[in-house]
Amino acid sequence: MSSPESITLSPRGQYGIEIGGPYGLSFGAARVQLEGAKGGNFSAYLPGGLQRYAVLVINAHGGASLHDTNDFQVELSRVAKMCRSLGERETADGSPALACMARKAFTGMPSEVVAKAFAQLWGSSSYWELCNVAPPAHALSVRALRSGKQVEILRNMPLVASVRGFVSHETCAGILESHARPSELTAASLVHDAREMLTSSITVNWDEFNVLTDTSVAAFDLASELLGELVPYEGQEPLSLLHYRKGHEYKPHTDGGAAGRGKRVATTLIYCQVADEGGGTVFTQSGDAQTPALRFQPTSGSLLFFAYAPSPGLQEHAACPVLAGNKSTLTQWHRLGVSPDMPWDSFEDWGRFRNPHSKARWKGPRYGDESGAVSGATSTSEL
């Protein structure tokens, strides 16, 4: 589309659309102006970042509203649910009927546009259903941790487990207030076609005793107990704050699985803020009846843990789009065999990362007691 271009959308007037610049299938910084036949004017900008779609809705009274790609994705989910509840189906597998969705999306859109957008933004009806219709996973079993908290086993192999109430609201608030307030992040932090969120890295200062180090110790202790191996505290990747707004998501991906010392072996997600609707974490691959695809719908303060072995591909997961509200997670990737002298970036070809606390050492109890031992766990730091 050239810039600017005027096109006639209705007898009421001319609508000028300015596109900031073409980027393959995406574009940026669109501005829409409307000059109504009766002198009314409308002007709006799309949010920052690249867009696949912009939808301008003009109602029967001449009013207008502009919607970005995230709005469109959320709208498609809304009408898919509506059509499903009305009993309209496109196929025998229960996929929402395209004709119904086209009639209801933004009060009516061409079927071919709805079909293409749904495929691009949701990927498939099975993925949409896993995120939005499938019931949340139930615990296969429950076991007590050394800390006294209860861990729910959602899948045995590869392991997926959760702990409700792992951290308090006050703990999360303290970490975010001191290290990374979501309100201060910008859209420029990270906006990508496959992953859209605001992000910030938090480097742990192990010389300090505070809410951040307490939380990190608890997460590493939990990972050590579930893995049966001591996960080092120091030398790990920074903690990553991921903040999702409406429409933000992280499409299906794996976190790791390469063999060898210093490689990622597991992930923990701590949910400091949960979405009002949507925003679950799904595991998209199904191996057999014992390893089904599943959805974890978090509550505030809950933790999700998953190990990659023995089948990293089965741990492909995604952060489903947030349909309403916001979501904030603290993500830690766990590595075995790292140390202050051989930190995590020594085992990757991603370049060296600056750690202002590289000489810091934790002086408190490790792995649940003063001796630093976990029953049945082994250390691989010298391998």
Side-chain angles (χ1 to χ4, degrees):
M1 185 178 292
S2 60
S3 172
E5 179 178 347
S6 292
I7 55 178
T8 301
L9 298 182
S10 80
R12 290 185 176 85
Q14 297 288 314
Y15 305 85
I17 301 177
E18 298 179 10
I19 300 299
Y23 299 90
L25 296 176
S26 303
F27 55 89
R31 179 170 182 258
V32 176
Q33 289 182 296
L34 177 156
E35 293 181 4
K38 297 181 179 180
N41 296 315
F42 171 82
S43 179
Y45 285 90
L46 289 171
L50 300 184
Q51 302 286 340
R52 278 184 178 269
Y53 294 94
V55 180
L56 178 62
V57 178
I58 302 114
N59 64 35
H61 304 288
S65 58
L66 181 64
H67 305 271
D68 68 0
T69 304
N70 290 333
D71 295 329
F72 194 12
Q73 185 175 22
V74 171
E75 175 71 0
L76 289 175
S77 183
R78 183 188 71 83
V79 297
K81 285 184 179 179
M82 181 184 300
C83 292
R84 183 183 179 89
S85 69
L86 293 174
E88 299 199 34
R89 301 285 190 271
E90 181 94 329
T91 61
D93 66 0
S95 302
L98 176 60
C100 174
M101 292 175 61
R103 289 195 306 271
K104 297 182 180 301
F106 291 122
T107 69
M109 299 185 73
S111 295
E112 61 272 19
V113 173
V114 170
K116 182 179 180 180
F118 190 89
Q120 288 184 334
L121 300 179
W122 282 103
S124 67
S125 59
S126 60
Y127 177 68
W128 173 80
E129 294 212 5
L130 182 61
C131 280
N132 300 288
V133 179
H138 294 291
L140 301 176
S141 61
V142 179
R143 56 177 281 197
L145 296 171
R146 287 165 54 89
S147 65
K149 294 184 181 297
Q150 300 292 307
V151 59
E152 298 179 345
I153 306 301
L154 305 181
R155 188 164 69 189
N156 286 303
M157 194 68 68
L159 179 62
V160 180
S162 67
V163 179
R164 301 286 180 174
F166 184 78
V167 296
S168 67
H169 171 76
E170 291 74 21
T171 293
C172 277
I175 292 174
L176 299 183
E177 179 71 22
S178 301
H179 299 279
R181 298 178 185 176
S183 62
E184 295 178 354
L185 302 177
T186 65
S189 297
L190 181 58
V191 176
H192 188 274
D193 199 39
R195 52 182 183 175
E196 188 175 12
M197 76 285 282
L198 313 180
T199 184
S200 178
S201 293
I202 304 174
T203 303
V204 179
N205 182 355
W206 290 109
D207 281 338
E208 296 181 353
F209 290 85
N210 54 38
V211 67
L212 176 61
T213 51
D214 286 347
T215 301
S216 293
V217 164
F220 285 122
D221 289 356
L222 175 143
S224 298
E225 189 168 352
L226 293 179
L227 288 171
E229 298 188 69
L230 300 183
V231 180
Y233 293 3
E234 299 90 352
Q236 299 282 351
E237 291 182 66
L239 196 63
S240 184
L241 167 66
L242 305 180
H243 182 69
Y244 300 80
R245 295 173 177 166
K246 188 182 76 169
H248 285 187
E249 64 179 316
Y250 199 158
K251 292 187 182 296
H253 64 284
T254 56
D255 286 352
R261 177 187 175 186
K263 298 297 184 179
R264 292 176 178 176
V265 296
T267 301
T268 51
L269 301 173
I270 298 173
Y271 299 83
C272 281
Q273 184 180 19
V274 296
D276 297 329
E277 183 181 358
T281 299
V282 295
F283 293 82
T284 57
Q285 300 299 306
S286 177
D288 53 33
Q290 301 302 314
T291 55
L294 62 87
R295 174 165 66 93
F296 176 69
Q297 197 64 37
T299 52
S300 181
S302 58
L303 173 144
L304 182 68
F305 170 91
F306 53 96
Y308 314 150
S311 304
L314 286 177
Q315 295 295 51
E316 179 183 88
H317 58 285
C320 294
V322 170
L323 302 180
N326 296 282
K327 181 178 80 170
S328 296
T329 65
L330 296 171
T331 302
Q332 181 69 63
W333 297 285
H334 300 282
R335 296 171 182 259
L336 298 176
V338 298
S339 68
D341 296 327
M342 291 289 290
W344 69 274
D345 53 358
S346 302
F347 302 96
E348 305 289 355
D349 59 0
W350 304 344
R352 299 307 297 265
F353 286 71
R354 179 179 177 272
N355 179 1
H357 310 301
S358 60
K359 297 184 182 301
R361 304 291 186 272
W362 178 244
K363 300 173 181 62
R366 291 177 183 260
Y367 311 112
D369 62 23
E370 294 292 344
S371 67
V374 173
S375 177
T378 59
S379 174
T380 58
S381 61
E382 299 303 322
L383 296 180

